[in-house]
Amino acid sequence: MPHEARTGSSLEESERLCRKWHKAGDGRIEYAFSPRFAAGCTMELMQGAAGLANKYGAYLQTHLSENHAEIETVKSRFPGATTCADVYRQAGILTESTLFGHCIHLNDHEVEMLAASKCVVVHCPTSNLFLNNGIMPLDRLQNAGLRVGLGSDVGAGPELNLWQVMRSAIESQKARSFYKPGIRIPSGGDVFYMATQGGAEALGKGNILGTLDVGKEADIIAMDLAAVLPYGRALNFDADMRAEDILSLLIYRGGLNAIVETFVRGKSLYRASAPSLL
């Protein structure tokens, strides 16, 4: 099949899925047009995806500057572009509703382009380390004013547990500090913010998600602290533990085993069969 036909059928199928799922579930589900990355797409496909995202008010998501091989491939495929980010600019993909995964090896001009376009960067440290792609300069992108959220990169890494993604976000910046002086290492509170309110703001939903403020949608997980303590209840932990201590325990030891109940918009959708909290 000629690539023009494949492009057309891909866009038609994506549009069909968008019409079916975007704003479904009483608005809980939103669609993201997802051209894999510039190295694997034609300009026509990326422009078409950008046009459809604009038409339906949907998100765009793709990868940017994940590794050096990708960067070289994009340069060879799109010789008329000055950088990888410039390819996306030409395709109309630099928008406030675009999420760029990785962004490890951006040059200064690309950082400026993303910041000026108010794009979102999705930091995927577990995937980046697993695939040996590098360490994203987190402080550099945040200092440029970019919105940065956390992600797992789904199947392109070893971990879907966002607590462990938070841990990797801290540990990877620690690793950078070993060879580059002056690196700011994020605290537990910093990465927890990126995974909650920061992520909500990255999606343009900071007014309805991300915190426990009155009036926001109650998307909450209840966790059993004893399940993340090294010796469980036998440790007789202090009930007055500081928030920083609790966050540290959850970031370094939290996971599915500690979840007691999950709420979406205040409705309980999961409850552990024998929660240790009771």
Side-chain angles (χ1 to χ4, degrees), residues 142-195:
Q142 290 177 324
N143 290 340
L146 281 160
R147 292 175 290 163
V148 182
L150 287 180
S152 66
D153 199 20
V154 195
E159 186 62 71
L160 294 176
N161 177 1
L162 206 58
W163 293 108
Q164 296 304 306
V165 174
M166 291 183 232
R167 174 181 177 176
S168 289
I170 295 173
E171 299 301 321
S172 59
Q173 299 310 306
K174 284 183 181 179
R176 284 182 67 221
S177 74
F178 296 154
Y179 60 85
K180 189 170 183 178
I183 297 300
R184 187 178 70 83
I185 300 171
S187 67
D190 291 333
V191 296
F192 184 71
Y193 176 86
M194 290 171 61

Side-chain angles (χ1 to χ4, degrees), residues 18-239:
C18 182
R19 288 198 304 266
K20 178 178 181 180
W21 294 107
H22 192 50
K23 302 295 185 181
D26 196 24
R28 288 188 296 109
I29 300 173
E30 294 190 70
Y31 191 79
F33 289 90
S34 306
R36 169 70 171 79
F37 59 168
C41 297
T42 63
M43 180 60 73
E44 292 76 17
L45 179 65
M46 291 186 287
Q47 289 173 334
L52 289 171
N54 181 63
K55 176 180 177 180
Y56 291 100
Y59 293 105
L60 280 161
Q61 65 172 5
T62 187
H63 290 191
L64 174 60
S65 196
E66 183 175 1
N67 58 62
H68 294 296
E70 170 204 324
I71 293 170
E72 292 305 312
T73 300
V74 172
K75 285 180 179 178
S76 66
R77 283 180 54 82
F78 300 95
T82 56
T83 62
C84 294
D86 191 47
V87 174
Y88 290 127
R89 180 194 64 78
Q90 294 180 20
I93 284 180
L94 296 189
T95 78
E96 293 186 38
S97 298
T98 300
L99 289 75
F100 285 112
H102 310 299
C103 296
I104 303 171
H105 307 290
L106 298 174
N107 64 33
D108 290 343
H109 181 55
E110 289 179 301
V111 173
E112 292 172 3
M113 288 176 66
L114 296 188
S117 302
K118 300 181 180 179
C119 301
V120 176
V121 171
V122 183
H123 182 27
C124 304
T126 52
S127 171
N128 299 156
L129 295 174
F130 179 72
L131 297 177
N132 299 317
N133 284 327
I135 301 174
M136 192 187 85
L138 178 60
D139 53 350
R140 177 180 172 228
L141 300 190
Q142 290 177 324
N143 290 340
L146 281 160
R147 292 175 290 163
V148 182
L150 287 180
S152 66
D153 199 20
V154 195
E159 186 62 71
L160 294 176
N161 177 1
L162 206 58
W163 293 108
Q164 296 304 306
V165 174
M166 291 183 232
R167 174 181 177 176
S168 289
I170 295 173
E171 299 301 321
S172 59
Q173 299 310 306
K174 284 183 181 179
R176 284 182 67 221
S177 74
F178 296 154
Y179 60 85
K180 189 170 183 178
I183 297 300
R184 187 178 70 83
I185 300 171
S187 67
D190 291 333
V191 296
F192 184 71
Y193 176 86
M194 290 171 61
T196 54
Q197 181 66 14
E201 290 177 356
L203 293 172
K205 299 185 180 300
N207 61 324
I208 61 171
L209 300 173
T211 67
L212 299 179
D213 292 336
V214 175
K216 287 193 174 184
E217 297 184 359
D219 295 345
I220 303 166
I221 56 172
M223 303 189 74
D224 181 3
L225 187 57
V228 300
L229 289 167
Y231 299 100
R233 298 194 181 284
L235 189 63
N236 294 319
F237 64 90
D238 185 354

Side-chain angles (χ1 to χ4, degrees), residues 223-261:
M223 303 189 74
D224 181 3
L225 187 57
V228 300
L229 289 167
Y231 299 100
R233 298 194 181 284
L235 189 63
N236 294 319
F237 64 90
D238 185 354
D240 295 322
M241 290 177 68
R242 299 178 306 155
E244 292 83 356
D245 298 328
I246 294 173
L247 270 181
S248 181
L249 278 169
L250 292 172
I251 289 169
Y252 283 90
R253 295 179 59 85
L256 295 176
N257 64 306
I259 297 177
V260 174
E261 195 161 6

